[in-house]
Amino acid sequence: MTAAAPPGTRTTVSVVIPVKDDDTELRRCLRALHAQTLAPDEIIVVDNDSSDASPDVARAAGARVEHCARPGIPAAASHGYDHARGDLILRLDADCVPSPTWVADMVAAFERRPDVGAFTGGARFIDGPTWLRTPLAVIYLGAYAGTTAAALGHLPLFGSNLGMRRTLWRGIRERVHRDDPRVHDDLDLAFHLGEYARIRLVPARTMGMSMRPFASARSFARRSAAGWRSVLVHWPADFPPIRWSRHAMRRMRARAPRSRGGVS
């Protein structure tokens, strides 16, 4: 299902940003995207019924605004992916600040590995107590990767820093849980995408993000509950031993020598 751009053609890039009532953070994010060493071909801001100036901020920055009335990040992100035109779809959140080489790093990763369907990366906190930023990011992202990888049987996707091939999204778009606002859209996407393509890591920490997940105990508890729900909605078909066995069989088939002249 994965496919690289034909030789001799330029890889085109769409950046998708779901947003709801984050006009100040969105303005900062869009400034960072306009400072990229490799400019994306389009920036799509998906307005999830904001009551602030988020859509106006996006238009003023030259982004294409898509409106999604269906509540929740899963619906908004999926809407943006549906309307992306680039060969690659990159995703970040409105409160993120990508480094100047983020787009270039993602494109280079895909061009080096045509066998990979999606790349994901880490992040660093850019607000909150300075002394807490690095250790908290390591613990937070490490815990997320460790717990979700056990359920998936492979690397998860991190919604603040991911990229996938548009052809791959087209193959799974009807399967994601876009109508459930209580799931983590990136984890749900990893469940479906990981069935058909490799997910790999971009090691550079080129994404800055807000420490808002830790703004309150209630906020963190809500995110944790969404994580569990994102796993449970895929059971029993994706119960870990069943999913692991399926992946093992797929890897075995991929490694098996192909028959020649009709003789195995």
Side-chain angles (χ1 to χ4, degrees), residues 139-156:
I139 293 170
Y140 174 54
L141 295 175
Y144 171 70
T147 55
T148 56
L152 291 165
H154 55 75
L155 191 71

Side-chain angles (χ1 to χ4, degrees), residues 25-135:
E25 292 79 5
L26 178 63
R27 184 178 289 109
R28 181 182 62 180
C29 177
L30 291 171
R31 279 200 302 266
L33 286 173
H34 284 298
Q36 294 293 298
T37 58
L38 178 63
D41 294 271
E42 63 176 357
I43 299 172
I44 302 172
V45 173
V46 185
D47 173 41
N48 201 202
D49 258 356
S50 295
S51 59
D52 68 0
S54 292
D56 296 329
V57 166
R59 292 188 187 96
R64 175 155 59 95
V65 176
E66 292 286 345
H67 181 252
C68 177
R70 186 181 298 167
I73 298 176
S78 296
H79 186 85
Y81 304 153
D82 286 344
H83 287 80
R85 301 167 183 155
D87 302 315
L88 303 179
I89 302 174
L90 308 188
R91 153 75 193 281
L92 75 168
D93 292 315
D95 62 351
C96 289
V97 180
S99 77
T101 63
W102 179 61
V103 173
D105 290 343
M106 279 291 197
V107 171
F110 278 104
E111 290 182 343
R112 283 194 303 268
R113 294 290 305 271
D115 59 314
V116 173
F119 280 95
T120 191
R124 65 192 188 283
F125 287 124
I126 55 176
D127 55 19
T130 303
W131 63 271
L132 189 57
R133 293 177 187 177
T134 297

Side-chain angles (χ1 to χ4, degrees), residues 35-262:
Q36 294 293 298
T37 58
L38 178 63
D41 294 271
E42 63 176 357
I43 299 172
I44 302 172
V45 173
V46 185
D47 173 41
N48 201 202
D49 258 356
S50 295
S51 59
D52 68 0
S54 292
D56 296 329
V57 166
R59 292 188 187 96
R64 175 155 59 95
V65 176
E66 292 286 345
H67 181 252
C68 177
R70 186 181 298 167
I73 298 176
S78 296
H79 186 85
Y81 304 153
D82 286 344
H83 287 80
R85 301 167 183 155
D87 302 315
L88 303 179
I89 302 174
L90 308 188
R91 153 75 193 281
L92 75 168
D93 292 315
D95 62 351
C96 289
V97 180
S99 77
T101 63
W102 179 61
V103 173
D105 290 343
M106 279 291 197
V107 171
F110 278 104
E111 290 182 343
R112 283 194 303 268
R113 294 290 305 271
D115 59 314
V116 173
F119 280 95
T120 191
R124 65 192 188 283
F125 287 124
I126 55 176
D127 55 19
T130 303
W131 63 271
L132 189 57
R133 293 177 187 177
T134 297
L136 190 58
V138 171
I139 293 170
Y140 174 54
L141 295 175
Y144 171 70
T147 55
T148 56
L152 291 165
H154 55 75
L155 191 71
L157 291 166
F158 178 47
S160 295
N161 187 0
L162 70 84
M164 62 181 163
R165 300 187 190 275
R166 184 166 59 93
T167 52
L168 184 59
W169 167 252
R170 291 292 179 183
I172 64 169
R173 60 190 294 268
E174 300 299 334
R175 298 175 183 152
V176 297
H177 292 76
R178 65 173 74 203
D179 295 326
D180 189 343
R182 293 184 294 163
V183 303
H184 278 308
D185 65 296
D186 48 0
L187 182 52
D188 180 59
L189 180 63
F191 267 102
H192 297 285
L193 190 151
E195 284 289 312
Y196 302 100
R198 293 182 177 92
I199 299 173
R200 292 295 182 264
L201 182 68
V202 175
R205 292 194 304 161
T206 56
M207 184 61 66
M209 69 176 183
S210 172
M211 206 180 281
R212 288 195 298 184
F214 302 93
S216 67
R218 183 178 180 182
S219 173
F220 185 71
R222 185 170 60 248
R223 288 173 179 267
S224 298
W228 278 108
R229 180 175 179 81
S230 303
V231 171
L232 296 177
V233 295
H234 292 90
W235 289 7
D238 283 307
F239 187 64
I242 298 173
R243 185 176 176 89
W244 300 340
S245 298
R246 209 161 56 234
H247 280 282
M249 292 296 294
R250 190 176 298 115
R251 286 192 293 268
M252 289 174 61
R253 287 196 298 269
R255 292 170 185 164
R258 294 184 179 181
S259 62
R260 295 183 179 179

